């Protein structure tokens, strides 16, 4: 028969998955970590009751958080990932031959361990020699590293509750800007313009205070219970566009969501999203 596992949005909307069995359930030092075997999505990671990723649809999210950001920079030698404990973001980064080093800073080592054990197709790049994996607080890490250390910073965090809450504020974004090179790029998941409208709007507004140019883009992630999800690119100095999507040409055979046309089209926003992001 199986049980239903439901994520609730603001006590107003519920999204549920039918679960065959629970493979892991534990309260780590930071959050409840669950690994479910579901009927439709395959194995799924859940943190504090929030769906994070699944075998079936993880590529929607991970290809969208990584590849547009890498198309927005000329130099991609050093990349910092904050969060990303399931490993999908690092796996996508490793497809780029000119990425020389990825530093991934994940606060919760239990997430990494559980994903290594149960989600090997997502956590497949943790043993890459180009990866430096650090289990520590990403907020403290960006506060202490020297300025201009990275070409790209990607924030692959959870929703703004629990350990990820501090990843949505101005002082954290200011540190991200400091550790980025001026012509580098900050890419982050920025929640759903439909179900988390206030967070989406607040992220855009806060980034605009600090960065010269901020460009949200949209796609779908079936596991997130909303037809629309968003990510955002922010450039410390200068403009985000134009994106150079040509390097994707060589990757397209191995990608399942991203392609050169989509990489540009994702920045074309429905009017209500554009108004939420820019006010006009
Ligand atoms: N509502 C869930 C938002 C989670 C965003 N991060 C997912 C992590 C996948 N690597």
């Amino acid at each position: 028969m199986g049980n239903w596992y439901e994520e609730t949005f603001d006590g107003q909307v519920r999204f549920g998955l039918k679960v065959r069995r629970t493979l892991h359930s534990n309260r780590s030092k930071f959050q409840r970590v669950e690994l479910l075997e579901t009927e439709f999505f395959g194995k799924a990671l859940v943190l504090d009751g929030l769906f994070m990723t699944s075998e079936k649809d993880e590529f929607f999210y991970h290809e969208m958080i990584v590849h547009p950001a890498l198309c927005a920079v000329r130099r991609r030698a050093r990349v910092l990932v904050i969060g990303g404990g399931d490993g999908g973001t690092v796996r996508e980064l490793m497809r780029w031959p000119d990425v020389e080093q990825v530093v991934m800073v994940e606060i919760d080592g239990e997430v990494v361990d559980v994903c290594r054990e149960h989600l090997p197709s997502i956590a497949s790049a943790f043993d890459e020699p180009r990866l430096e994996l650090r289990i520590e607080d990403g907020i403290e890490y960006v506060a202490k590293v020297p300025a201009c250390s990275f070409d790209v910073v990607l924030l692959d965090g959870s929703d703004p509750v629990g350990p990820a809450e501090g990843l949505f504020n101005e002082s954290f974004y200011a540190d991200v800007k400091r550790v980025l090179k001026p012509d580098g790029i900050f890419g982050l998941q920025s929640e759903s313009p439909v179900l988390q409208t206030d967070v989406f709007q607040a992220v855009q507004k806060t980034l605009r205070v600090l960065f010269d140019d901020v460009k949200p883009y949209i796609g779908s992630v079936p596991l997130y219970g909303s037809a629309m999800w968003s990510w955002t690119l922010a450039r410390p100095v200068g403009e985000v566009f134009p994106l150079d999507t040509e390097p994707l040409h060589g990757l397209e055979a191995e990608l399942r969501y991203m392609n050169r046309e989509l990489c540009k089209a994702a920045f074309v926003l429905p009017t209500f999203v554009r108004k939420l992001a820019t006010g006009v």
Side-chain angles (χ1 to χ4, degrees):
M1 288 288 290
N3 296 315
W4 287 90
Y5 192 111
E6 291 179 338
E7 176 176 338
T8 304
F9 300 88
D10 286 338
Q12 295 173 12
V13 176
R14 280 185 188 169
F15 180 67
L17 306 188
K18 196 166 184 187
V19 175
R20 277 192 204 142
R21 58 189 178 130
T22 299
L23 299 168
H24 179 95
S25 180
N26 185 50
R27 167 106 217 139
S28 75
K29 192 173 157 201
F30 302 99
Q31 58 204 332
R32 175 149 290 281
V33 180
E34 292 171 286
L35 205 292
L36 311 174
E37 186 181 310
T38 74
E39 293 287 348
F40 183 80
F41 282 95
K43 291 185 217 157
L45 173 70
V46 184
L47 299 178
D48 277 344
L50 305 166
F51 296 127
M52 289 295 127
T53 198
S54 81
E55 287 177 313
K56 185 159 191 159
D57 77 335
E58 58 85 11
F59 65 96
F60 287 58
Y61 176 93
H62 292 123
E63 292 185 20
M64 282 291 267
I65 195 170
V66 169
H67 302 299
L70 271 65
C71 290
V73 281
R74 286 211 190 107
R75 209 178 131 70
R76 321 176 170 93
R78 296 202 75 227
V79 181
L80 171 65
V81 177
I82 308 284
D86 51 70
T89 293
V90 166
R91 182 201 61 201
E92 290 306 312
L93 284 167
M94 294 305 175
R95 297 189 196 281
W96 290 74
D98 48 352
V99 168
E100 291 169 13
Q101 191 194 22
V102 177
V103 179
M104 174 182 146
V105 186
E106 163 62 51
I107 197 168
D108 195 341
E110 183 165 328
V111 174
V112 173
D113 293 342
V114 165
C115 293
R116 265 185 190 274
E117 182 180 350
H118 295 287
L119 298 172
S121 61
I122 302 175
S124 59
F126 280 141
D127 296 320
E128 251 272 357
R130 287 181 285 164
L131 176 67
E132 177 186 334
L133 174 60
R134 305 176 71 103
I135 303 300
E136 62 180 272
D137 186 338
I139 297 170
E140 290 171 13
Y141 181 80
V142 292
K144 73 184 181 194
V145 291
C148 303
S149 294
F150 293 98
D151 302 296
V152 178
V153 176
L154 297 178
L155 173 56
D156 180 14
S158 183
D159 304 290
V161 287
E165 203 171 343
L167 301 174
F168 284 81
N169 68 44
E170 190 172 328
S171 68
F172 172 69
Y173 294 159
D175 273 327
V176 169
K177 182 181 174 187
R178 190 183 59 77
V179 304
L180 264 177
K181 295 183 179 143
D183 61 348
I185 202 85
F186 179 31
L188 66 158
Q189 76 87 1
S190 43
E191 303 280 302
S192 167
V194 179
L195 285 176
Q196 291 106 350
T197 311
D198 293 350
V199 182
F200 172 78
Q201 208 166 12
V203 167
Q204 305 303 315
K205 199 171 164 188
T206 310
L207 289 170
R208 278 170 203 284
V209 172
L210 297 165
F211 290 80
D212 263 17
D213 194 21
V214 178
K215 289 280 188 293
Y217 58 104
I218 55 170
S220 61
V221 182
L223 185 68
Y224 297 166
S226 159
M228 188 183 286
W229 197 256
S230 79
W231 299 259
T232 300
L233 297 184
R235 173 93 71 204
V237 177
E239 302 204 340
V240 170
F241 295 159
L243 301 182
D244 176 13
T245 57
E246 263 325 290
L248 285 177
H249 184 51
L251 300 181
E252 279 174 12
E254 52 195 79
L255 299 179
R256 288 188 285 167
Y257 192 95
M258 182 56 60
N259 56 55
R260 281 163 289 171
E261 293 78 19
L262 179 76
C263 192
K264 289 182 176 161
F267 290 85
V268 179
L269 303 175
T271 304
F272 85 93
V273 179
R274 193 195 69 218
K275 284 187 178 166
L276 285 172
T278 65
V280 288

